[in-house]
């Protein structure tokens, strides 16, 4: 049979039904407008800037996960003005992609003057023909959320800490012996390690997929941040932002979910990510800072945290060694003033912390700003140092930010290394300068101390002959402690070698405006200084040693109580330093005070006990490692060095106290509490006495129960013996009467010697 076009046609084909195949493989073409969005707030330009505008819009959409090309954008044109109309149409492949783009990009700041406002094309017609008949909405059931700081309302005023052992993570309440208990426990809660946020609001755990934050009384998940193979995390001081790092560069597979909380193709190759904690959105990513200009043998270990935050969370900065410091504004994460601080040779920097007075002033300034009243607010400040280059000396610089005003500079000579140590209230900055002699054969140390609160930022110098291995400011105080040593084995310690150290305490002498030596403790093995968060008390510890593990508890104001009692104490400089106690925790790797400053925790982590076998010390090191493994665990002490509890746990990894936020009480309220402290202490003493009596009553009841059990057992044994004797036909004790015996006492006098004396009057 011939077809219409003249070719032959098989009649069998006319009889076959292909409708099922056509229905299965039919391609439906979307001829609607659900996949089109309208973007308003676009800059009005002429044709010369059109290509550049479309490229930037495509880039902005792609960064948020809504990938488009310039060809997908239609730009309405005003022929009379020869310019665009300020809005565009974007065509996506499907309605889901269009809906996601509208959600992700609505309200997005395109530049300083333009913000995107997005609607779906079909919504415009729907809104124009909307039914204005009022329909009463359904009221959803109210479900109150748990308060993330509920633990602060504990009636017994207890603190919390977390322990990580094997696969088990436990959160404990800590207080009096009768108040200690496990608050929450979970298996496989983390795959790497755990961490608290700086104010204790969130508990962070790390997994292969990313980071999860937990909180509330029931420890429900609060947020999730998808950063595969994450290894390190860091919170901003006010808990608004989170930084994550992975050794593996970011890669974005084709099936990865899209959205502001996920990585986009533009993030590929970076290692560091900055997240907004409240919204969960990704703000920006960075590559790991590399030392391209240094030889491979001279490359330094990556610093962490790689991004450093200002105390008010308004700025975050990172250093490119030898080139510049880049400061970014929050929450946009845009480069401040669109330029970095170019500093030739810069090595490191630190932000100045804000003290309690600074925070109070900031709160007053914020209230005054709302009330349209002028109020001075202290600017942020950062310090950085640069090494000696050619004929230029090394230099430490203080600058204010965001004004970028140089406040103070100090030139340094013969510098090997510098370390910046801010006091936690921002009152002092100590620059620990390791200097070398002209021959560069020996190293000594100087401390350059900036008094930041005073006019012109005066600098005091403390010259030392030995190498300083540890430095620590007293919190909220004017004292500091250092660990120094001139031991020849300091540079290359080996197995079994103990480094001898000296511990020195210094204090600011207000009369002479200089830091004066209080006291030096010689011939110690301590290498770590831990101040109490309240100051005054300090612990000197030997950490990380296989032979020594000493703990020394010191009070730097031991005579304060005598002065309070009204005694006339003539106090010499440094006479108030008194040792309260000493202890030992074999294999200790971590030492940490609790937030109240009343308790100290020491722990021996299996992470830091590693096998180190050598041919000469094979057996000795193996035995030391084996013993250390047996003593993994933690102990809690009071501030005097009395051991309260100790737990030896195999596979023990981590112990962390839960931080506390700043007190909500005003200075006047705190002063009133101190004034009436005796009244409060009377109530606390009654509670202690009641608890002690309860403990005594429990102990007496326990002893009585044991005695009753013993008497019952004794009586039972007597009955059994009696029955056994009867069965054998023996007489029982008491059944036969013994003859009574009469006892007669006889007194005998015997004269041993007789002496006569004559007395002459």
């Amino acid at each position: 049979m011939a077809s219409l076009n003249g070719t032959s046609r098989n009649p069998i084909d006319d009889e076959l039904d292909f409708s099922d195949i056509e229905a299965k493989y039919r391609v439906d073409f979307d001829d609607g407008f659900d996949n089109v969005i309208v973007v308003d707030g676009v800059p009005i330009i002429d044709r010369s800037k059109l290509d550049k505008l479309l490229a930037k819009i495509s880039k902005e959409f792609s960064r948020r996960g809504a990938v488009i090309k310039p060809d997908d954008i239609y730009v309405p044109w005003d022929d009379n003005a020869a310019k665009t109309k300020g809005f565009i149409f974007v065509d996506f492949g499907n309605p889901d992609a269009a809906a996601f783009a509208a959600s992700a990009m609505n309200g997005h700041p395109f530049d300083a003057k333009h913000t995107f406002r997005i609607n779906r094309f079909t919504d415009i017609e729907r809104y124009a023909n909307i039914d204005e008949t009022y329909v009463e909405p359904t009221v959803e059931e109210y479900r109150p959320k748990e308060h993330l700081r509920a633990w602060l309302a504990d009636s017994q005023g207890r603190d919390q800490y977390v322990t990580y052992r094997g696969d088990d993570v436990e959160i404990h309440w800590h207080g009096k012996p009768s108040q200690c208990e496990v608050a929450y426990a979970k298996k496989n809660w983390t795959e790497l390690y755990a961490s608290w946020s700086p104010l204790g609001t969130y508990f962070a755990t790390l997994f292969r997929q990313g980071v999860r934050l937990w909180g509330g009384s029931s420890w429900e998940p609060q947020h999730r941040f998808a950063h595969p193979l994450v290894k390190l995390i860091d919170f901003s001081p006010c808990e608004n932002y989170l930084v994550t790092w992975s050794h593996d560069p970011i890669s974005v597979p084709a099936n990865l979910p899209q959205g502001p909380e996920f990585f986009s193709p533009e993030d590929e190759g970076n290692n560091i990510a900055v997240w907004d904690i409240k919204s969960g959105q990704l703000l920006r990513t960075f590559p790991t800072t590399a030392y391209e200009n240094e030889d491979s043998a001279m490359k330094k270990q990556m610093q962490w945290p790689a991004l450093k935050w200002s105390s008010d969370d308004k700025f975050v900065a990172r250093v490119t060694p030898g080139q510049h410091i880049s400061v970014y504004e929050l929450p946009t994460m845009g480069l401040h003033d669109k330029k970095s601080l170019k500093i030739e040779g810069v090595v490191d920097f630190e932000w100045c912390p804000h003290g309690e007075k600074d925070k109070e002033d900031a709160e007053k300034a914020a209230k005054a700003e709302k009330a349209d009243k002028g109020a001075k607010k202290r600017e942020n400040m950062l310090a950085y140092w640069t090494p000696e280059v050619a004929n230029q000396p090394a230099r430490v610089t203080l600058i204010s930010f965001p004004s970028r005003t140089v406040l103070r500079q100090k030139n340094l000579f013969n510098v090997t290394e510098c370390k910046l140590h801010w006091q936690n209230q921002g009152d002092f900055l100590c620059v620990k300068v390791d200097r070398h002699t002209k021959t560069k054969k020996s190293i000594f140390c100087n401390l350059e101390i900036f008094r930041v609160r005073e006019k012109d930022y005066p600098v005091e110098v403390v010259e030392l002959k030995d190498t300083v291995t540890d430095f620590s400011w007293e919190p909220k105080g004017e004292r500091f402690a250092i660990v120094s040593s001139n031991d020849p084995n300091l540079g290359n310690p080996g197995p079994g070698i103990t480094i001898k150290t000296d511990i020195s305490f210094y204090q600011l002498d207000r009369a002479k405006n200089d830091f004066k030596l209080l006291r030096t403790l010689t011939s110690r093995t301590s290498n770590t200084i831990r101040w109490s968060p309240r100051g005054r008390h300090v612990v000197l510890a030997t950490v990380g040693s296989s032979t020594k593990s000493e703990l020394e508890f010191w009070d730097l104001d031991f005579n304060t109580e005598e002065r309070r009692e009204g005694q006339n104490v003539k106090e010499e400089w440094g006479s108030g330093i008194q040792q309260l106690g000493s202890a030992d925790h074999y294999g200790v790797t971590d030492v940490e005070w609790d937030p109240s400053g009343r308790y100290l925790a020491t722990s021996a982590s299996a992470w830091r006990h590693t096998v180190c076998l050598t041919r000469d010390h094979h057996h000795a090191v193996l035995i030391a490692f084996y013993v250390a493994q047996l003593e993994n665990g933690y102990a809690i002490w009071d501030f005097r060095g009395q051991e309260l509890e100790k737990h030896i746990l195999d596979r023990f990894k981590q112990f962390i106290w839960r931080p506390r936020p700043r007190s909500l009480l005003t200075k006047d309220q705190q002063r009133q509490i101190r004034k009436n402290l005796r009244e409060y202490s009377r109530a606390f003493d009654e509670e202690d006495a009641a608890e002690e009596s309860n403990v005594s009553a429990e102990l007496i009841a326990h002893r009585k129960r044991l005695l009753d059990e013993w008497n019952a057992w004794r009586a039972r044994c007597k009955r059994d013996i009696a029955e056994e004797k009867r069965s054998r036909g023996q007489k029982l004790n008491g059944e036969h009467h013994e003859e009574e015996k009469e006892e007669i006492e006889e007194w005998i006098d015997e004269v041993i010697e007789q002496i006569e004396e004559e007395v002459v009057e």
Side-chain angles (χ1 to χ4, degrees):
M1 180 179 179
S3 62
L4 295 176
N5 58 6
T7 59
S8 61
R9 184 173 180 178
N10 192 343
I12 299 178
D13 295 339
D14 297 335
E15 299 177 3
L16 294 177
D17 185 10
F18 295 99
S19 60
D20 55 341
I21 299 177
E22 291 175 352
K24 182 178 181 180
Y25 295 100
R26 182 179 61 192
V27 178
D28 294 328
F29 295 96
D30 190 359
D31 54 356
F33 296 99
D34 290 337
N35 56 342
V36 178
I37 63 173
V38 182
V39 183
D40 201 357
V42 178
I44 299 176
I45 58 168
D46 54 22
R47 290 190 180 274
S48 62
K49 300 179 181 178
L50 182 60
D51 294 338
K52 186 176 181 180
L53 176 65
L54 296 181
K56 187 175 181 181
I57 292 175
S58 301
K59 183 178 180 180
E60 292 292 324
F61 270 80
S62 300
R63 282 187 60 185
R64 290 298 188 97
V67 182
I68 60 172
K69 299 178 182 178
D71 295 339
D72 300 328
I73 303 174
Y74 173 76
V75 183
W77 203 260
D78 187 350
D79 295 330
N80 296 329
K83 291 184 178 181
T84 59
K85 293 186 176 181
F87 63 92
I88 58 174
F89 298 94
V90 183
D91 188 1
F92 288 87
N94 54 72
D96 293 337
F100 166 75
S103 175
M105 296 300 293
N106 187 38
H108 175 73
F110 183 68
D111 55 28
K113 297 182 179 180
H114 299 86
T115 301
F116 288 159
R117 300 299 176 190
I118 300 179
N119 292 285
R120 299 180 67 171
F121 188 86
T122 53
D123 290 342
I124 296 176
E125 183 178 359
R126 181 165 60 89
Y127 292 146
N129 301 324
I130 192 170
D131 185 8
E132 297 185 2
T133 304
Y134 174 74
V135 178
E136 185 174 354
T138 57
V139 180
E140 296 183 3
E141 183 181 357
Y142 173 70
R143 296 181 180 179
K145 290 187 176 181
E146 293 180 341
H147 201 291
L148 296 179
R149 293 185 176 177
W151 97 96
L152 295 174
D154 179 57
S155 59
Q156 298 169 335
R158 296 174 294 179
D159 279 304
Q160 289 186 340
Y161 63 85
V162 63
T163 59
Y164 180 24
R165 174 197 178 194
D167 296 328
D168 299 322
V169 179
E170 294 180 346
I171 296 176
H172 300 253
W173 284 109
H174 176 71
K176 299 174 185 177
S178 61
Q179 299 172 348
C180 297
E181 59 182 337
V182 176
Y184 190 78
K186 189 172 184 179
K187 202 174 186 65
N188 297 317
W189 204 355
T190 182
E191 295 179 357
L192 198 58
Y193 64 90
S195 177
W196 293 106
S197 60
L199 304 179
T201 306
Y202 300 105
F203 180 63
T205 56
L206 282 72
F207 302 90
R208 287 183 58 87
Q209 298 85 354
V211 181
R212 297 206 75 172
L213 301 186
W214 314 76
S217 302
S218 59
W219 299 102
E220 293 294 326
Q222 305 295 325
H223 303 286
R224 179 174 59 183
F225 305 95
H227 191 165
L229 304 176
V230 61
K231 293 293 187 296
L232 298 173
I233 64 173
D234 179 53
F235 287 89
S236 65
C238 300
E239 300 182 340
N240 292 319
Y241 308 100
L242 176 70
V243 181
T244 58
W245 175 85
S246 173
H247 181 271
D248 299 88
I250 296 171
S251 62
V252 183
N255 59 346
L256 186 74
Q258 296 180 347
E261 66 273 17
F262 299 103
F263 294 126
S264 66
E266 288 197 352
D267 300 316
E268 290 191 329
N270 294 336
N271 306 84
I272 302 172
V274 183
W275 311 82
D276 186 303
I277 290 181
K278 290 183 175 62
S279 67
Q281 294 187 1
L282 175 67
L283 300 180
R284 188 161 181 165
T285 59
F286 299 93
T288 300
T289 302
Y291 294 79
E292 294 89 352
N293 299 330
E294 298 186 11
D295 299 333
S296 58
M298 296 294 293
K299 285 186 177 180
K300 298 181 181 180
Q301 188 177 3
M302 183 196 74
Q303 292 186 0
W304 187 258
L307 301 179
K308 298 180 181 180
W309 298 88
S310 64
S311 295
D312 53 6
D313 276 13
K314 290 186 177 180
F315 303 101
V316 64
R318 66 193 299 257
V319 62
T320 301
Q323 299 179 24
H324 56 258
I325 299 175
S326 302
V327 183
Y328 301 89
E329 295 180 284
L330 276 301
T332 61
M333 281 301 295
L335 186 63
H336 180 265
D337 210 11
K338 297 185 179 180
K339 60 183 178 181
S340 300
L341 292 167
K342 293 186 178 181
I343 307 166
E344 184 179 358
V346 62
V347 177
D348 196 13
F349 75 98
E350 294 290 343
W351 289 96
C352 173
H354 285 183
E356 293 183 358
K357 186 177 184 305
D358 297 322
K359 294 176 181 177
E360 291 175 1
D361 293 343
E363 293 174 358
K364 292 179 181 177
K367 293 179 180 178
E369 186 177 352
K370 290 182 179 179
D372 295 331
K373 296 180 180 179
K376 289 186 178 180
K377 181 182 176 184
R378 187 186 183 191
E379 278 195 324
N380 282 291
M381 183 191 308
L382 61 84
Y384 64 86
W385 78 276
T386 56
E388 294 177 280
V389 179
N391 295 327
Q392 295 290 332
R395 183 174 296 165
V396 176
T397 305
L398 292 177
I399 65 170
S400 61
F401 207 87
S403 64
R404 307 194 181 203
T405 304
V406 176
L407 304 174
R408 184 71 158 86
Q409 285 186 333
K410 179 70 183 295
N411 292 336
L412 307 171
F413 301 92
N414 300 329
V415 175
T416 301
E417 183 70 22
C418 286
K419 292 291 183 183
L420 307 174
H421 300 275
W422 282 100
Q423 188 239 19
N424 73 330
Q425 297 294 302
D427 298 334
F428 305 100
L429 168 67
C430 176
V431 183
K432 185 176 77 70
V433 185
D434 293 331
R435 287 193 164 117
H436 55 259
T437 58
K438 293 183 179 180
T439 58
K440 297 186 178 181
K441 292 184 178 180
S442 60
I443 299 291
F444 63 98
C445 182
N446 280 5
L447 303 178
E448 308 277 343
I449 302 177
F450 294 73
R451 302 209 302 270
V452 179
R453 299 286 182 179
E454 300 181 25
K455 185 179 179 181
D456 297 331
Y457 307 93
V459 181
E460 309 300 334
V461 181
V462 178
E463 297 183 355
L464 305 168
K465 296 181 180 180
D466 299 334
T467 302
V468 176
T469 59
D470 192 21
F471 177 96
S472 181
W473 282 105
E474 177 188 21
K476 304 179 182 179
E478 298 178 343
R479 294 179 288 207
F480 64 84
I482 61 172
V483 179
S484 60
S485 176
N486 57 4
D487 195 310
N489 296 316
L490 182 62
N492 50 355
I497 296 178
T498 302
I499 305 298
K500 289 293 183 181
T501 60
D502 296 336
I503 313 297
S504 301
F505 298 97
Y506 289 81
Q507 182 172 354
L508 178 63
D509 186 355
R510 286 290 179 181
K512 299 180 180 180
N513 284 330
D514 195 4
F515 282 88
K516 186 177 179 180
L517 177 65
L518 288 173
R519 185 174 174 182
T520 298
L521 310 175
T522 59
S523 300
R524 295 298 200 275
T525 61
S526 305
N527 54 18
T528 302
I529 303 168
R530 291 291 183 268
W531 287 93
S532 164
R534 304 291 181 182
R536 177 176 173 175
H537 296 98
V538 65
V539 168
L540 310 177
T542 305
V543 174
S545 174
S546 60
T547 57
K548 297 287 184 179
S549 52
E550 299 173 352
L551 301 170
E552 296 183 16
F553 295 79
W554 290 82
D555 184 354
L556 270 66
D557 293 325
F558 188 73
N559 298 333
T560 303
E561 299 301 328
E562 297 179 358
R563 291 199 301 269
R564 286 179 181 174
E565 293 174 1
Q567 299 182 19
N568 188 11
V569 181
K570 186 177 181 181
E571 189 174 326
E572 296 182 2
W573 192 258
S575 62
I577 300 178
Q578 181 72 33
Q579 184 172 2
L580 301 178
S582 61
D584 187 274
H585 186 169
Y586 184 74
V588 60
T589 58
D590 299 280
V591 180
E592 185 181 0
W593 285 90
D594 82 316
S596 69
R598 295 177 295 172
Y599 304 101
L600 179 87
T602 58
S603 59
S605 172
W607 283 335
R608 303 201 183 177
H609 291 157
T610 56
V611 181
C612 179
L613 300 179
T614 62
R615 180 175 299 177
D616 297 333
H617 303 85
H618 175 86
H619 298 290
V621 175
L622 183 59
I623 292 174
F625 170 74
Y626 180 70
V627 175
Q629 283 287 355
L630 287 180
E631 294 199 3
N632 288 337
Y634 68 93
I636 298 179
W637 321 74
D638 66 7
F639 67 94
R640 298 169 298 175
Q642 300 294 321
E643 183 181 288
L644 302 178
E645 55 181 292
K646 187 173 184 179
H647 306 272
I648 298 177
L649 307 169
D650 61 327
R651 298 185 301 156
F652 181 81
K653 302 173 184 177
Q654 203 173 10
F655 179 104
I656 320 175
W657 289 104
R658 186 173 192 175
R660 280 179 173 262
R662 186 166 62 102
S663 174
L664 298 178
L665 299 176
T666 63
K667 291 291 184 182
D668 294 336
Q669 291 173 329
Q670 295 180 26
R671 198 176 297 112
Q672 189 68 20
I673 290 175
R674 292 192 189 97
K675 183 179 179 180
N676 301 325
L677 194 58
R678 290 187 179 275
E679 298 179 7
Y680 295 112
S681 62
R682 190 179 300 112
F684 296 145
D685 291 341
E686 292 175 359
E687 291 180 5
D688 294 341
E691 182 179 358
E692 186 176 351
S693 63
N694 291 336
V695 172
S696 300
E698 292 177 1
L699 182 60
I700 293 172
H702 177 67
R703 290 176 178 175
K704 186 177 184 304
R705 186 174 64 255
L706 293 177
L707 182 61
D708 293 341
E709 291 176 358
W710 160 256
N711 291 331
W713 176 81
R714 190 162 177 243
R716 188 170 60 253
C717 289
K718 284 184 177 181
R719 288 195 302 270
D720 294 342
I721 293 173
E723 291 177 1
E724 185 176 354
K725 284 186 175 183
R726 287 194 187 96
S727 64
R728 293 180 180 180
Q730 299 178 0
K731 293 183 178 181
L732 300 178
N733 293 336
E735 291 185 358
H736 61 281
H737 300 281
E738 297 182 356
E739 296 181 359
E740 295 183 356
K741 296 181 180 179
E742 182 180 358
E743 294 183 0
I744 301 175
E745 294 182 357
E746 184 178 355
W747 294 82
I748 300 175
D749 294 335
E750 182 179 355
V751 178
I752 299 175
E753 184 180 2
Q754 185 173 357
I755 300 174
E756 293 183 0
E757 294 182 358
E758 292 182 1
V759 179
V760 181
E761 296 183 355

